[in-house]
Amino acid sequence: MLQRTSRVAMSSLFAAAVIGFAPVRAEAPDEARAMAAATAREIGIAAGLGTLRDRPREEIEAEFADYAALGVRWLRTDIYWSNVQPDAPDKYDWSVIDRVVSAAQAHGLRVLPVVGTTPPWARSIPGERSAPRDPSQYAAFIAAAAARYAPLGIHVWEIWNEPNLFGSWPPAPDAIAYARLLIAASAAIRAVDPEATVLLGGLSPVVDTRPGKFISATEFLAAIYDAGAGDAFDAVAFHPYSFPRR
């Protein structure tokens, strides 16, 4: 019986786009192909933290048990920086994430955290929802997250979600600013967990750039490389959503 599994989570079933990622390290093509082939045999479910955090433990456990029964091996979910450090850079509340990680591991699910959302004290525009002002503050946070969860088996990290959209990187997407964040975050994670895998934040499949609103996935990725961040990630996460017009 799989009736307990939420339709939101089931509709987010994914394989090659995030977990079966294609590594981008050009210096080892054979190794890259072997890794891609191995990971492509595993599937995961993307369940946003917003669909999990306010539910009782037993309900989350039941849903994760359904995932496992489906053969799911990965759970992609969020770590909201703004929730863990809402008030100051020296205070942490990991309780929600701890609960989700514990429940996932109880059912053999490996966790892929997507780390994003800016707390008010770290925003580039005070008083307004906006991207981080200082990449080093985000890097310090993600280093703390890696130090906490690497001993629990979490070694894959996704840096932000859909940074090529204004809704995710307000007030407007900025590939150069994101590249700086990516470089800082990657260095911080690897200092804590040298064997960690860093994913470039899942790109929205935008085809055409609209200034101030969104940047096409290919243009955004090219800008990341041009900004010197090519060595800051091991793979590109991409959202292959399709929106047919007819």
Side-chain angles (χ1 to χ4, degrees):
M1 294 292 291
L2 301 176
Q3 295 176 347
R4 293 188 300 266
T5 303
S6 71
R7 286 180 293 175
V8 172
M10 287 301 296
S11 66
S12 300
L13 189 67
F14 67 98
V18 177
I19 296 302
F21 52 77
V24 296
R25 289 174 173 169
E27 70 273 19
D30 292 337
E31 179 184 348
R33 281 193 290 270
M35 183 184 296
T39 54
R41 290 192 295 269
E42 299 183 357
I43 61 172
I45 283 182
L49 186 63
T51 70
L52 301 172
R53 61 183 171 188
D54 296 324
R55 295 162 63 187
R57 170 70 182 240
E58 58 270 21
E59 192 173 307
I60 296 174
E61 289 265 10
E63 182 160 317
F64 289 176
D66 286 345
Y67 294 177
L70 288 168
V72 170
R73 295 293 176 266
W74 288 84
L75 172 71
R76 177 184 183 265
T77 194
D78 307 285
I79 292 181
Y80 293 141
W81 181 20
S82 57
N83 288 166
V84 179
Q85 287 191 311
D87 302 317
D90 58 347
K91 297 179 180 179
Y92 299 85
D93 180 1
W94 301 103
S95 58
V96 173
I97 310 303
D98 285 351
R99 188 161 57 96
V100 172
V101 169
S102 176
Q105 292 185 326
H107 295 282
L109 301 175
R110 285 173 283 180
V111 178
L112 164 56
V114 184
V115 186
T117 73
T118 314
W121 56 268
R123 292 173 178 169
S124 57
I125 304 176
E128 295 185 19
R129 184 171 169 269
S130 53
R133 176 182 63 254
D134 183 352
S136 68
Q137 293 175 327
Y138 176 85
F141 172 72
I142 207 165
R148 185 178 188 85
Y149 295 113
L152 299 179
I154 296 178
H155 302 289
V156 183
W157 297 86
E158 187 171 341
I159 311 303
W160 221 264
N161 182 63
E162 297 189 335
N164 58 326
L165 301 183
F166 75 98
S168 297
W169 192 274
D174 184 334
I176 304 304
Y178 175 76
R180 295 191 190 104
L181 185 89
L182 178 62
I183 291 169
S186 178
I189 292 169
R190 289 167 173 163
V192 172
D193 182 6
E195 301 304 315
T197 296
V198 177
L199 304 184
L200 186 146
L203 298 177
S204 171
V206 178
V207 176
D208 300 311
T209 294
R210 184 176 174 186
K213 296 294 184 181
F214 37 78
I215 301 173
S216 77
T218 52
E219 181 180 330
F220 192 88
L221 184 58
I224 294 298
Y225 278 103
D226 289 344
D231 291 331
F233 59 99
D234 301 296
V236 175
F238 180 74
H239 297 167
Y241 309 137
S242 175
F243 304 99
R245 296 181 180 178
R246 56 184 177 183

